[in-house]
Amino acid sequence: MDQLVARYLDTWNETDVVVRRAVIGEIWAEDGVYTDPMAVAEGRDAIDATIAAVQGQFPGFVFSLAGPVDAHHDIARFTWELGPAGGEALVVGFDVAVLTADGRIGRVHGFLDKIPAQV
């Protein structure tokens, strides 16, 4: 599960659209759904568009894992941080990923624990 979570976070950092789309196609179910307090993205195209929008809102920032992945059965939860490379995280949240029977991400439920006031 750790490797899948790492690849998931890598997609949020990948600015090459072709590479990002390829990884999304590998790790997400075709009908996957990403949900957080500010977005609902249904399907790979919408997930890719959501990632691109976040990258546009926080240019040059990187997502990183902020602790161990806690997983059981087909569910994983993990805390992540977003901030400038090597700097203090401006955004902190945690995601709960639910996998499909074939081991792809079917749903991600995102929660935001720390966000800048201007967001």
Side-chain angles (χ1 to χ4, degrees):
M1 191 74 76
D2 289 352
Q3 183 178 358
L4 181 62
V5 170
R7 292 189 75 207
Y8 165 78
L9 288 174
D10 286 346
T11 63
W12 288 87
N13 293 325
E14 182 57 64
T15 56
D16 182 311
V17 175
V18 174
V19 173
R20 185 175 65 234
R21 283 304 306 245
V23 176
I24 288 171
E26 291 173 21
I27 67 172
W28 277 91
E30 192 170 331
D31 61 349
V33 178
Y34 173 85
T35 307
D36 71 21
M38 299 186 302
V40 176
E42 298 180 7
R44 293 174 178 161
D45 290 342
I47 291 164
D48 183 50
T50 299
I51 292 170
V54 170
Q55 290 175 350
Q57 186 174 10
F58 298 99
F61 282 27
V62 293
F63 281 89
S64 59
L65 191 61
V69 176
D70 183 18
H72 63 83
H73 298 88
D74 61 351
I75 302 168
R77 69 176 176 160
F78 50 94
T79 300
W80 50 263
E81 297 177 334
L82 175 65
E88 181 180 344
L90 296 180
V91 182
V92 177
F94 80 91
D95 289 354
V96 176
V98 181
L99 305 186
T100 61
D102 67 356
R104 292 181 183 203
I105 300 169
R107 296 188 76 84
V108 170
H109 307 279
F111 297 84
L112 301 172
D113 296 324
K114 174 186 171 185
I115 57 173
Q118 68 271 21
V119 174

